[in-house]
Amino acid sequence: MTAGTHRTPARKQIHLAAHFPGVNNTTVWADPRSRSQIEFSSFEHLARTAERGLFDFFFLAEGLRLREHKGRIHDLDVVGRPESLTVLSALAAVTDRLGLAATVNATFNEPYELARRLASLDHLSGGRAAWNVVTSSDAFTGENFRRGGFLDRADRYTRAAEFVATARELWDSRTPGADGAPGEPRPVAHNGRHFTVAGEFGVDRPPQGHPVVIQAGDSPEGREFAASAADVIFTRHGTLEAGRAFYADVKGRLARYGRAPDDLKIMPGVTFVLGDTAAEAQERATEIRRQQVSPQNALLALEQVWGVDLSAYDPDGPLPDIDPDPESTLVQGRVKVGDPLAVAEKWRALSRAKGLSIHQTVIETTSRQSFIGTPAAVAEQLDEFVRTDAADGFILVPHLTPGGLDEFVERVVPLLQERGAFRTEYEGATLRSHLGLPEPARKG
């Protein structure tokens, strides 16, 4: 470089992923465009759309037991949810570059078997597999498994950390073969607190070395686990300021594990609503929220906080004046509200201040539209979050299955590309290359 010249820093690139909406309150079930949650055509449509939009990966959640509400199966769970790795193996045949991320529980699986399944998907897809590591201390879910309910909450992340480390030992246990030939197996000898593995791994080292590891969680334990072991952290979306604080906190934890800031991508789960004008987008967002939160759903949401039967209350009336029951088991299989009494008081204060009914309060307090506006405005907001270190990218959760991503790919992605903030083609073939992650060095 000659004197007096300087190199312009590369613009920070946005990473995008697509979440299949599935059995949750984001989906607008009443919309005539809403299709099956289990037919392969639905998964294929959303995955092909994401790949057309040059997204990093396609993300599937997991459900290990049908949730219950007042002793009955939760309405949204009636359609069921297929096993993620099975679906993604099929999607590997109809996509070429899109990463394929499966949520698989580290509490109710074993390292050898899951490492084998993930390595197989990585081979079948040419290096596009990812594992979203989740944990559970829920005895209700555990009843479907041999060790039902055995795991103390404090042990969730210690088991998960050992699980990931053991899986990586297995992936690294094949010595490289010459000229592309399969590697030679060598014995694995892991003897830890949670797992003992003694044998030889039956699958050659995955094309990515290790499939990409994703971790979902905002708790202090979750942040530390992500900093030590994950490639991507899937988090909740908040304000710009909250995003920057979370980003700085998690990235600041990496150095003590010998990791650089770019070794972990922070990607909050977000939604979007587009319109030709700001007013139209707001109107659409309001209508979507009304469809997502019916009067019946509002009472269900309230019962999740209060823990008592509120069916006698009018959704168009005021919030209950009784206090929640923190020890309630009215709702099973869903994440418990952290402090029901505090949440109830917060909702009551909002209801009093704005004169809101039960229905209106739930709509306002559980709003899921993260980015609302014209395509240009949404592109600007997404870019600002990444440019100012509130995120490295986003996992988009559309409100329609399977066509909810179509409009974003057609109208927002080209604007991000014009800004120079998003790729115009895939430069590599593996998910690690999309995310800018190096292949891990072989250990052992």
Side-chain angles (χ1 to χ4, degrees):
M1 187 178 298
T2 60
T5 65
H6 67 278
R7 189 187 303 276
T8 303
R11 186 185 183 96
K12 190 176 179 184
Q13 295 293 290
I14 296 173
H15 294 282
L16 293 176
H19 188 295
F20 188 81
V23 289
N24 59 41
N25 293 328
T26 302
T27 304
V28 175
W29 301 83
D31 193 298
R33 295 169 294 175
S34 184
R35 296 290 183 261
S36 173
Q37 302 290 317
I38 197 167
E39 291 178 5
F40 181 67
S41 59
S42 291
F43 297 102
E44 183 180 13
H45 181 108
L46 192 67
R48 285 185 181 273
T49 302
E51 186 163 75
R52 187 171 72 252
L54 305 176
F55 281 36
D56 290 1
F57 60 90
F58 175 87
F59 183 86
L60 284 178
E62 178 184 66
L64 295 180
R65 180 163 180 176
L66 300 182
R67 296 165 293 181
E68 292 183 7
H69 191 100
K70 293 189 285 191
R72 298 181 56 215
I73 300 300
H74 190 277
D75 287 350
L76 298 182
D77 279 13
V78 172
V79 298
R81 191 183 309 204
E83 196 276 322
S84 297
L85 284 165
T86 304
V87 174
L88 295 178
S89 295
L91 288 176
V94 297
T95 56
D96 297 313
R97 299 292 185 91
L98 184 69
L100 304 168
T103 301
V104 187
N105 200 298
T107 304
F108 303 118
N109 283 281
E110 294 294 323
Y112 182 92
E113 177 59 19
L114 183 53
R116 185 170 69 109
R117 292 162 65 201
L118 287 163
S120 298
L121 177 61
D122 209 48
H123 282 287
L124 287 172
S125 64
R128 297 186 281 136
W131 170 26
N132 178 38
V133 184
V134 294
T135 64
S136 176
S137 59
D138 178 11
F140 174 77
T141 300
E143 289 175 1
N144 275 343
F145 298 88
R146 178 170 58 89
R147 296 187 179 92
F150 84 102
L151 189 65
D152 290 336
R153 184 176 183 84
D155 289 334
R156 289 189 309 161
Y157 284 113
T158 58
R159 177 185 167 96
E162 186 180 338
F163 196 124
V164 173
T166 307
R168 285 173 169 158
E169 287 180 47
L170 291 162
W171 293 326
D172 283 342
S173 68
R174 306 274 292 208
T175 58
D179 300 322
E184 291 293 326
R186 57 179 173 78
V188 174
H190 177 92
N191 188 11
R193 176 184 172 190
H194 294 280
F195 307 109
T196 299
V197 179
E200 296 173 344
F201 194 49
V203 184
D204 204 12
R205 193 170 193 252
Q208 295 185 101
H210 304 161
V212 169
V213 171
I214 305 169
Q215 196 272 328
D218 288 328
S219 69
E221 298 89 349
R223 296 182 190 203
E224 201 66 26
F225 177 53
S228 68
D231 300 304
V232 176
I233 183 166
F234 174 34
T235 181
R236 287 181 302 216
H237 167 69
T239 63
L240 192 65
E241 293 72 20
R244 289 172 182 161
F246 179 86
Y247 191 98
D249 176 70
V250 174
K251 296 278 187 172
R253 298 170 187 251
L254 293 167
R256 58 175 162 264
Y257 298 102
R259 307 182 68 194
D262 284 344
D263 289 347
L264 175 67
K265 307 301 181 186
I266 296 176
M267 300 180 66
V270 302
T271 62
F272 62 92
V273 180
L274 304 177
D276 290 335
T277 65
E280 180 185 325
Q282 287 291 346
E283 185 177 344
R284 288 185 66 188
T286 299
E287 179 57 28
I288 288 168
R289 284 305 295 149
R290 288 198 192 101
Q291 292 176 305
Q292 289 170 329
V293 184
S294 66
Q296 171 76 5
N297 285 340
L299 284 178
L300 293 179
L302 210 67
E303 288 176 341
Q304 189 176 355
V305 175
W306 260 257
V308 296
D309 186 343
L310 300 174
S311 56
Y313 283 77
D314 181 358
D316 293 322
L319 269 67
D321 55 5
I322 58 174
D323 285 333
D325 176 6
E327 305 303 320
S328 169
T329 58
L330 189 73
V331 178
Q332 298 268 40
R334 300 186 68 135
V335 176
K336 288 185 176 296
V337 175
D339 186 345
L341 292 170
V343 173
E345 186 50 44
K346 181 180 177 181
W347 285 16
R348 283 175 179 145
L350 177 68
S351 176
R352 288 193 298 265
K354 294 190 175 183
L356 303 179
S357 66
I358 290 174
H359 190 195
Q360 293 167 329
T361 301
V362 173
I363 287 176
E364 180 147 346
T365 55
T366 62
S367 178
R368 292 177 182 270
Q369 280 82 38
S370 307
F371 296 102
I372 304 169
T374 64
V378 169
E380 165 60 29
Q381 292 172 60
L382 295 172
D383 192 20
E384 182 182 12
F385 266 73
V386 172
R387 219 175 45 239
T388 62
D389 290 341
D392 291 310
F394 307 92
I395 298 177
L396 300 181
V397 187
H399 67 274
L400 284 178
T401 304
L405 202 62
D406 296 2
E407 188 178 17
F408 185 94
V409 168
E410 292 162 5
R411 305 187 69 187
V412 179
V413 166
L415 298 178
L416 294 174
Q417 292 168 331
E418 288 176 11
R419 288 171 164 268
F422 190 67
R423 65 172 66 92
T424 56
E425 61 182 356
Y426 287 115
E427 295 182 4
T430 69
L431 178 53
R432 285 190 174 274
S433 68
H434 303 342
L435 290 166
L437 298 170
E439 180 178 322
R442 184 191 300 270
K443 295 182 180 179

